[in-house]
Amino acid sequence: MLTLHTAELLVPGARSAALPGGAVLVEGDLIARLGPYEELAAACPHARVRRWPGVLTPGLLVRGGDALLERTYYPDDPYEVTELGADPIGGEAALADLKLTEARWGHSARRGTQRLLARGVVAVTGRFAIPAVRTAVARSGLAVLPPAAATGAEPSPEPSLDPFAGRESAAEAFHGVLEAGAPARFAAFAVADPAELLARGATTCVATVIGGRLLHRRR
């Protein structure tokens, strides 16, 4: 099935020129074509169309995924929030007090991956040691890269869900490029351009696509 994703601005990445009114044509789990929306819509009139506000960019990469998902606990809303609060919990002493089982780590990782997807994240770096966490990450669709795959500025001392932490430009957080034949792995953000994306942050994400599947959509 063909799906046409379009936004006010398409940013393919890798120094390729941004395309106003651009679109990404997805077939299965791959990008079939990129180009002006009108051109692709005319060539593929039966494609399902998804229109997003703002910009379409490559999905984002977060460094230190193991710290975020195996050394940070995400309370279960609403069941644990009254007791633990809604914020992620880190630190050896605080985590020890929770007496977490492997199953609870797995459930926490699932909630953590949902937060990442809601920020346009499609890949993380790290090595996961807890089997239930590995399963949660695999089921989320996120790609897992070795720590050496992280580029740009050094990771911040504390793990961060923010893909732009320590970045000087939004493009530094892009994972891959949007081009024909590439994996259909991208995100849409309700901003005007990459500069505004960096300024306002990844919580402006309205949609995340991995493997051609819409895994997050802002309600």
Side-chain angles (χ1 to χ4, degrees):
M1 181 176 182
L2 295 174
T3 304
L4 194 56
H5 295 263
T6 185
E8 282 90 358
L9 185 68
L10 173 64
V11 181
R15 298 189 179 89
S16 297
L19 178 61
V24 177
L25 181 66
V26 174
E27 183 172 13
D29 60 354
L30 298 176
I31 295 174
R33 291 175 62 186
L34 271 70
Y37 167 75
E38 292 79 5
E39 178 183 311
L40 296 183
C44 305
H46 300 298
R48 177 175 57 183
V49 176
R50 293 192 182 276
R51 297 180 182 274
W52 307 109
V55 300
L56 272 176
T57 76
L60 305 181
L61 170 70
V62 154
R63 300 162 295 189
D66 43 2
L68 288 170
L69 300 176
E70 290 191 334
R71 297 190 291 279
T72 307
Y73 183 75
Y74 300 88
D76 190 359
D77 186 10
Y79 304 106
E80 297 179 322
V81 169
T82 300
E83 177 185 358
L84 301 178
D87 294 335
I89 298 171
E92 290 185 11
L95 293 174
D97 288 342
L98 294 177
K99 297 180 173 61
L100 297 172
T101 63
E102 181 181 329
R104 286 184 71 190
W105 271 120
H107 294 316
S108 170
R110 178 180 55 81
R111 295 188 290 272
T113 60
Q114 290 171 349
R115 295 193 185 202
L116 291 168
L117 291 170
R119 288 163 171 78
V121 174
V122 300
V124 297
T125 67
R127 294 186 175 91
F128 298 99
I130 301 174
V133 173
R134 287 200 300 267
T135 298
V137 174
R139 289 177 175 173
S140 74
L142 294 172
V144 178
L145 309 177
T151 58
E154 289 298 318
S156 55
E158 296 296 326
S160 176
L161 293 168
D162 179 9
F164 301 125
R167 308 288 196 183
E168 295 183 355
S169 70
E172 290 181 6
F174 292 168
H175 178 59
V177 297
L178 304 183
E179 60 185 3
R185 190 165 49 199
F186 50 87
F189 300 90
V191 296
D193 54 36
E196 185 180 357
L197 174 56
L198 182 67
R200 293 184 55 195
T203 55
T204 57
C205 179
V206 295
T208 304
V209 174
I210 297 178
R213 296 182 297 146
L214 184 60
L215 298 187
H216 165 75
R217 180 175 186 174
R218 182 187 293 178
R219 299 185 183 279

